[in-house]
Amino acid sequence: MKYIKIIIFNGILIVALLIGSVVFTPKTNKKAFGVDYVTSNKIFSETKNTVDVIALGDSLVYSSLSPMLIYEKHGYTIYNASTPAQSIYQSYSLLKKIYKTQKPKYIFFEAESLYRRYSFEDDIQNRIGVNIPILRYHNRWKNLTLQDFSTQYQLSDRDYLKGFRYYDKVVPLMKHKKPKAKLQPYAFSYLDKIMALTKAHQTKLIFMSLPCAKTWSLERHNQLEKFFKEKGYDFVDFNTLPLNIDWNMDSRDGGDHLNYNGAKKASKYFGKYLAENYDLEDHRKDPKYANYELSLVLYKQRIKQKEMKTDAAPNIDKKEQDDDQKQENQDLISNEGQ
């Protein structure tokens, strides 16, 4: 009888977690509805099978690569599905979800997460956050609406920056401790899963290191180059390429992340690298990609107004600007503990 009660209790608990997870999961990809990392989640609003290149990784990705700059020059459709301090487990989970709506030809993966230390507890929290939404979104209970009790999702809110984040702050290079060149065992099992997943979807996986004076070293470069060569994967280290980065002018936080001026240099080279090494289509003037054409117009408007030092950009309300500032504060610690 005792065991029957335990089984019944566990069964009720599992059902409650399942129902609660459905209710508490945001039904839209807007910040106001409790979505974490809005910019990366807006990839699920993109027209089905229109994104050819996905960039995964931490804040180095969305600080360095501007998809719209590359689209303007080459017509390539790119999306930065990056988040602050993105763990390799989160990258894997996000990529599985992306494959439900997109068939990218190429995945570019920022290798920084292979050095990020994670404990067993961190791993459990990552898994819980992804797989048990009610625990991740429990704070939403105050803002639940009738829509939340539906299983219908309205993922209509798009990001015309395509995952990129604009920062114009300039903080000259600061002295940093030399980073350790120690690949973390935690990452290897998920790295194998990402490799298997991309192969199953016939996507070419390329690894990269984006510009970062804080966490880059020649020792790390040599280690990663050897590591990926042995596994049979391309690896491109933008720290070793002639991007002409000036860390006294092109960083927003003393050499950890690029600002917009630095991102322009990195994006220009990235577009050229894609054109010279991979088979991608120019989608400019193709009606199917009207979303990118509209995004380019809005992107240019925002950049122009930012450069003119105006207080706000079109279609960007004050709350979103405040969110950007909060995100920037989080970015400043996103590469700590490496």
Side-chain angles (χ1 to χ4, degrees):
M1 188 68 179
K2 178 181 177 182
Y3 294 109
I4 293 177
K5 288 182 178 179
I6 293 175
I7 292 172
I8 293 174
F9 174 80
N10 288 335
I12 293 173
L13 178 61
I14 291 171
V15 171
L17 286 173
L18 290 173
I19 295 175
S21 292
V22 171
V23 173
F24 278 75
T25 297
K27 302 305 185 295
T28 178
N29 53 0
K30 295 182 179 181
K31 182 73 175 179
F33 288 81
V35 175
D36 295 327
Y37 312 130
V38 173
T39 55
S40 61
N41 274 282
K42 286 183 180 179
I43 189 173
F44 303 114
S45 297
E46 294 296 311
T47 304
K48 191 174 182 180
N49 299 331
T50 57
V51 182
D52 290 337
V53 179
I54 303 291
L56 288 171
D58 60 14
S59 50
L60 292 177
V61 178
Y62 63 66
S63 297
S64 302
L65 300 179
S66 173
M68 295 317 303
L69 271 178
I70 298 169
Y71 177 82
E72 181 181 18
K73 176 69 175 177
H74 300 279
Y76 304 152
T77 51
I78 303 169
Y79 202 101
N80 287 351
S82 50
T83 56
Q86 187 176 95
S87 72
I88 194 166
Y89 178 80
Q90 290 169 327
S91 299
Y92 170 65
S93 178
L94 184 58
L95 183 56
K96 283 200 300 182
K97 191 175 179 182
I98 287 172
Y99 275 127
K100 294 179 180 179
T101 59
Q102 300 294 334
K103 293 181 179 178
K105 292 182 178 180
Y106 302 99
I107 300 293
F108 279 82
F109 186 90
E110 165 57 56
E112 185 64 39
S113 63
L114 300 183
Y115 291 104
R116 197 178 296 279
R117 294 193 299 272
Y118 283 95
S119 65
F120 176 76
E121 291 77 13
D122 293 328
D123 186 29
I124 294 300
Q125 288 178 5
N126 271 323
R127 291 170 179 268
I128 288 175
V130 171
N131 297 314
I132 309 181
I134 190 174
L135 300 181
R136 179 178 180 183
Y137 298 112
H138 65 278
N139 288 328
R140 292 192 64 235
W141 68 271
K142 298 179 181 179
N143 302 313
L144 292 178
T145 65
L146 288 176
Q147 182 183 349
D148 289 303
F149 291 85
S150 167
T151 58
Q152 299 298 313
Y153 294 85
Q154 297 178 357
L155 303 180
S156 59
D157 200 29
R158 286 177 172 156
D159 178 24
Y160 62 82
L161 301 183
K162 307 304 179 188
F164 173 67
R165 285 186 172 272
Y166 177 99
Y167 299 103
D168 55 9
K169 185 184 295 184
V170 177
V171 178
L173 181 66
M174 295 184 289
K175 188 175 181 180
H176 299 290
K177 293 181 180 179
K178 184 179 179 180
K180 295 180 180 179
K182 183 179 180 181
L183 295 169
Q184 298 298 310
Y186 166 88
F188 294 152
S189 62
Y190 294 119
L191 182 61
D192 289 340
K193 290 180 179 180
I194 289 174
M195 290 175 173
L197 183 63
T198 52
K199 283 182 179 178
H201 287 271
Q202 299 181 321
T203 307
K204 185 173 179 61
L205 176 62
I206 302 106
F207 293 92
M208 63 180 176
S209 284
L210 289 166
C212 183
K214 179 180 178 181
T215 61
W216 183 87
S217 69
L218 184 58
E219 187 179 7
R220 279 193 175 191
H221 165 81
N222 292 335
Q223 183 182 55
L224 289 173
E225 190 171 56
K226 181 175 182 291
F227 179 77
F228 291 120
K229 184 177 181 180
E230 289 175 350
K231 288 187 171 290
Y233 285 87
D234 292 349
F235 170 64
V236 53
D237 189 344
F238 288 88
N239 293 277
T240 64
L241 300 176
L243 275 62
N244 298 318
I245 298 295
D246 179 353
W247 286 108
N248 289 317
M249 295 299 297
D250 296 338
S251 175
R252 60 183 170 88
D253 50 11
D256 198 358
H257 301 86
L258 296 176
N259 57 23
Y260 181 63
N261 195 53
K264 285 192 292 185
K265 296 178 180 179
S267 300
K268 180 180 179 181
Y269 202 100
F270 189 70
K272 179 183 177 184
Y273 175 82
L274 289 175
E276 292 176 350
N277 293 277
Y278 301 106
D279 181 26
L280 285 166
E281 250 184 281
D282 183 344
H283 294 300
R284 290 172 292 184
K285 300 182 180 179
D286 185 336
K288 184 180 178 181
Y289 299 86
N291 160 38
Y292 269 78
E293 291 293 329
L294 175 60
S295 294
L296 182 59
V297 172
L298 296 173
Y299 174 83
K300 286 182 175 180
Q301 289 178 355
R302 181 173 189 183
I303 297 304
K304 182 178 179 180
Q305 291 197 353
K306 282 283 190 179
E307 290 178 339
M308 292 173 63
K309 305 297 183 182
T310 53
D311 294 329
N315 303 327
I316 302 295
D317 59 24
K318 185 178 185 303
K319 185 180 185 306
E320 186 169 340
Q321 293 179 59
D322 291 341
D323 289 340
D324 282 348
Q325 184 59 53
K326 291 177 182 177
Q327 189 71 73
E328 181 174 2
N329 293 338
Q330 186 174 2
D331 294 343
L332 293 177
I333 61 171
S334 67
N335 286 335
E336 292 297 328
Q338 314 250 345

Coordinates of all heavy atoms in Angstrom, one line a residue, residues 39-40 59-69 78-82 159-167 258-264 267 299 302-303 324:
T39 N 16.3 38.2 -28.3 CA 16.9 38.3 -29.6 C 17.1 36.9 -30.2 O 16.9 36.7 -31.4 CB 18.2 39.1 -29.6 OG1 19.1 38.6 -28.7 CG2 17.9 40.6 -29.3
S40 N 17.7 36.0 -29.4 CA 17.9 34.7 -30.0 C 16.6 33.9 -30.2 O 16.5 33.2 -31.2 CB 18.8 33.9 -29.0 OG 18.2 33.7 -27.8
S59 N 28.2 35.9 -25.8 CA 28.1 37.3 -26.2 C 29.1 37.8 -27.2 O 29.0 38.8 -27.8 CB 28.1 38.2 -24.9 OG 29.3 37.8 -24.1
L60 N 30.2 37.0 -27.4 CA 31.2 37.4 -28.4 C 30.5 37.4 -29.8 O 30.9 38.1 -30.6 CB 32.3 36.4 -28.4 CG 33.3 36.4 -27.2 CD1 34.3 35.4 -27.3 CD2 33.9 37.8 -27.0
V61 N 29.5 36.5 -30.0 CA 28.9 36.3 -31.3 C 28.0 37.5 -31.6 O 28.2 38.2 -32.6 CB 28.1 35.0 -31.3 CG1 27.4 34.9 -32.7 CG2 29.0 33.8 -31.1
Y62 N 27.1 37.8 -30.6 CA 26.2 38.9 -31.0 C 26.8 40.3 -30.8 O 26.2 41.3 -31.2 CB 24.9 38.8 -30.2 CG 25.0 39.0 -28.7 CD1 25.3 40.1 -28.0 CD2 24.6 37.9 -27.9 CE1 25.4 40.2 -26.7 CE2 24.6 38.0 -26.5 CZ 25.0 39.2 -25.9 OH 25.0 39.3 -24.5
S63 N 28.0 40.4 -30.3 CA 28.8 41.6 -30.2 C 29.6 41.8 -31.5 O 30.0 43.0 -31.8 CB 29.6 41.7 -29.0 OG 28.9 41.6 -27.8
S64 N 30.0 40.7 -32.1 CA 31.0 40.8 -33.2 C 30.4 40.7 -34.6 O 30.9 41.3 -35.5 CB 32.0 39.6 -33.1 OG 32.6 39.6 -31.8
L65 N 29.3 40.0 -34.8 CA 28.8 39.8 -36.1 C 27.4 40.4 -36.3 O 26.4 40.1 -35.6 CB 28.6 38.2 -36.4 CG 29.9 37.4 -36.2 CD1 29.7 36.0 -36.5 CD2 31.0 38.0 -37.2
S66 N 27.3 41.3 -37.3 CA 26.1 41.9 -37.7 C 25.5 41.3 -39.0 O 26.0 41.6 -40.1 CB 26.3 43.4 -37.9 OG 25.1 44.0 -38.5
P67 N 24.5 40.4 -38.9 CA 24.0 39.7 -40.0 C 23.5 40.7 -41.1 O 23.6 40.4 -42.3 CB 22.8 38.9 -39.5 CG 23.2 38.6 -38.1 CD 23.9 39.9 -37.6
M68 N 22.9 41.8 -40.7 CA 22.4 42.8 -41.7 C 23.5 43.5 -42.5 O 23.3 43.8 -43.7 CB 21.5 43.8 -41.1 CG 20.2 43.2 -40.4 SD 19.4 41.9 -41.5 CE 19.1 42.8 -43.0
L69 N 24.6 43.7 -41.9 CA 25.8 44.3 -42.6 C 26.2 43.3 -43.7 O 26.5 43.7 -44.8 CB 26.9 44.6 -41.7 CG 27.0 45.9 -41.0 CD1 28.2 46.0 -40.1 CD2 27.0 47.0 -42.1
I78 N 21.7 35.3 -42.4 CA 22.4 34.8 -41.2 C 21.6 35.2 -40.0 O 21.0 36.3 -40.0 CB 23.8 35.5 -41.1 CG1 24.6 35.2 -42.4 CG2 24.6 35.0 -39.9 CD1 25.9 35.9 -42.5
Y79 N 21.7 34.4 -38.9 CA 21.0 34.8 -37.7 C 21.9 34.4 -36.5 O 22.5 33.3 -36.5 CB 19.7 34.1 -37.5 CG 18.8 34.8 -36.5 CD1 17.7 35.6 -37.0 CD2 19.0 34.7 -35.1 CE1 16.9 36.3 -36.1 CE2 18.2 35.4 -34.2 CZ 17.2 36.1 -34.7 OH 16.4 36.8 -33.8
N80 N 22.1 35.3 -35.6 CA 22.9 35.1 -34.4 C 22.0 34.5 -33.3 O 21.3 35.2 -32.6 CB 23.5 36.4 -33.8 CG 24.7 36.9 -34.7 OD1 25.1 36.2 -35.6 ND2 25.1 38.1 -34.5
A81 N 22.0 33.2 -33.1 CA 21.3 32.6 -32.0 C 22.1 32.4 -30.8 O 22.3 31.4 -30.2 CB 20.8 31.2 -32.5
S82 N 22.7 33.6 -30.3 CA 23.7 33.6 -29.2 C 23.0 34.2 -28.0 O 22.1 35.1 -28.1 CB 24.9 34.4 -29.7 OG 24.6 35.6 -30.2
D159 N 13.2 40.2 -35.0 CA 14.3 41.1 -34.6 C 15.0 41.5 -35.9 O 15.6 40.7 -36.6 CB 15.3 40.3 -33.7 CG 16.5 41.1 -33.4 OD1 16.4 42.4 -33.4 OD2 17.6 40.6 -33.1
Y160 N 14.9 42.8 -36.3 CA 15.5 43.2 -37.5 C 17.0 43.3 -37.4 O 17.7 43.5 -38.4 CB 14.9 44.5 -38.0 CG 15.0 45.7 -37.1 CD1 16.2 46.5 -37.1 CD2 14.0 46.1 -36.2 CE1 16.4 47.5 -36.3 CE2 14.1 47.2 -35.4 CZ 15.3 47.9 -35.4 OH 15.4 49.0 -34.6
L161 N 17.6 43.1 -36.2 CA 19.1 43.1 -36.1 C 19.6 41.6 -36.3 O 20.8 41.4 -36.3 CB 19.5 43.6 -34.8 CG 19.2 45.1 -34.4 CD1 19.8 45.5 -33.1 CD2 19.6 46.0 -35.5
K162 N 18.6 40.7 -36.3 CA 18.9 39.3 -36.5 C 19.9 38.7 -35.5 O 20.8 38.0 -35.8 CB 19.5 39.0 -37.9 CG 18.6 39.5 -39.0 CD 17.1 39.0 -39.0 CE 16.3 39.5 -40.1 NZ 14.8 39.2 -39.9
G163 N 19.6 39.1 -34.2 CA 20.4 38.6 -33.1 C 21.6 39.4 -32.7 O 22.2 39.2 -31.7
F164 N 22.0 40.4 -33.6 CA 23.1 41.3 -33.3 C 22.7 42.3 -32.2 O 21.5 42.7 -32.1 CB 23.5 42.0 -34.6 CG 24.6 43.1 -34.4 CD1 25.9 42.8 -34.0 CD2 24.3 44.4 -34.6 CE1 26.8 43.8 -33.8 CE2 25.2 45.4 -34.4 CZ 26.5 45.1 -34.0
R165 N 23.6 42.8 -31.4 CA 23.4 43.9 -30.5 C 24.3 45.0 -30.7 O 25.5 44.8 -30.8 CB 23.5 43.3 -29.0 CG 22.4 42.5 -28.6 CD 22.4 42.1 -27.1 NE 21.2 41.4 -26.7 CZ 20.1 42.0 -26.2 NH1 20.1 43.4 -26.1 NH2 19.1 41.3 -25.9
Y166 N 23.7 46.2 -30.8 CA 24.5 47.4 -31.1 C 25.0 48.0 -29.8 O 24.2 48.3 -28.9 CB 23.6 48.4 -31.8 CG 24.3 49.7 -32.1 CD1 24.8 50.0 -33.4 CD2 24.3 50.7 -31.2 CE1 25.4 51.2 -33.7 CE2 24.9 51.9 -31.4 CZ 25.5 52.2 -32.7 OH 26.0 53.4 -33.0
Y167 N 26.3 48.3 -29.7 CA 26.9 49.0 -28.6 C 27.9 50.0 -29.1 O 28.8 49.6 -29.9 CB 27.7 48.0 -27.7 CG 26.8 47.0 -27.0 CD1 26.9 45.6 -27.5 CD2 26.0 47.2 -25.9 CE1 26.1 44.6 -26.9 CE2 25.2 46.2 -25.4 CZ 25.3 45.0 -25.9 OH 24.5 44.0 -25.3
L258 N 33.7 43.4 -28.7 CA 33.8 44.5 -29.7 C 32.6 45.5 -29.5 O 31.5 45.1 -29.1 CB 33.7 44.0 -31.1 CG 34.9 43.1 -31.5 CD1 34.7 42.6 -32.9 CD2 36.2 43.9 -31.4
N259 N 32.8 46.8 -29.8 CA 31.7 47.7 -30.0 C 31.3 47.7 -31.4 O 31.7 46.9 -32.2 CB 32.1 49.1 -29.5 CG 33.3 49.6 -30.2 OD1 33.6 49.2 -31.3 ND2 34.0 50.6 -29.5
Y260 N 30.4 48.6 -31.8 CA 29.9 48.6 -33.2 C 31.0 48.8 -34.2 O 31.0 48.2 -35.3 CB 28.8 49.6 -33.4 CG 28.2 49.6 -34.8 CD1 27.5 48.5 -35.3 CD2 28.3 50.7 -35.6 CE1 27.0 48.5 -36.5 CE2 27.8 50.7 -36.9 CZ 27.1 49.6 -37.3 OH 26.6 49.6 -38.6
N261 N 31.9 49.7 -33.9 CA 33.0 50.0 -34.8 C 33.8 48.7 -35.1 O 34.2 48.4 -36.2 CB 33.9 51.1 -34.3 CG 34.8 51.7 -35.3 OD1 34.3 52.1 -36.4 ND2 36.1 51.7 -35.1
G262 N 34.1 48.0 -34.0 CA 34.8 46.7 -34.2 C 34.0 45.7 -34.9 O 34.5 44.9 -35.7
A263 N 32.7 45.6 -34.6 CA 31.8 44.7 -35.2 C 31.7 44.9 -36.7 O 31.6 43.9 -37.5 CB 30.4 44.8 -34.6
K264 N 31.8 46.1 -37.1 CA 31.8 46.4 -38.6 C 33.0 45.8 -39.3 O 32.8 45.2 -40.4 CB 31.8 47.9 -38.8 CG 30.4 48.6 -38.6 CD 30.4 50.0 -39.1 CE 31.3 50.9 -38.4 NZ 31.2 52.4 -38.8
S267 N 32.5 41.9 -39.1 CA 31.4 41.5 -40.0 C 31.8 41.6 -41.5 O 31.5 40.7 -42.3 CB 30.1 42.3 -39.8 OG 29.7 42.2 -38.5
Y299 N 17.2 48.5 -39.9 CA 18.6 48.4 -39.4 C 19.4 49.7 -39.7 O 20.0 50.3 -38.8 CB 19.3 47.2 -39.9 CG 20.8 47.1 -39.6 CD1 21.2 46.6 -38.4 CD2 21.8 47.5 -40.4 CE1 22.5 46.5 -38.0 CE2 23.1 47.4 -40.1 CZ 23.5 46.9 -38.9 OH 24.8 46.8 -38.6
R302 N 18.1 52.6 -37.7 CA 18.6 52.6 -36.3 C 20.0 53.0 -36.2 O 20.4 53.8 -35.3 CB 18.4 51.2 -35.7 CG 18.8 51.2 -34.2 CD 18.5 50.0 -33.5 NE 18.8 50.1 -32.1 CZ 18.7 49.1 -31.2 NH1 18.3 48.0 -31.6 NH2 18.9 49.3 -29.9
I303 N 20.9 52.5 -37.0 CA 22.3 52.8 -37.0 C 22.5 54.3 -37.2 O 23.3 55.0 -36.5 CB 23.1 52.0 -38.0 CG1 23.0 50.5 -37.7 CG2 24.5 52.4 -38.0 CD1 23.4 50.1 -36.3
D324 N 18.1 46.6 -23.1 CA 19.4 46.6 -23.8 C 20.5 46.9 -22.8 O 21.5 46.3 -22.7 CB 19.5 47.5 -24.9 CG 18.8 47.0 -26.2 OD1 18.5 45.8 -26.2 OD2 18.5 47.8 -27.1

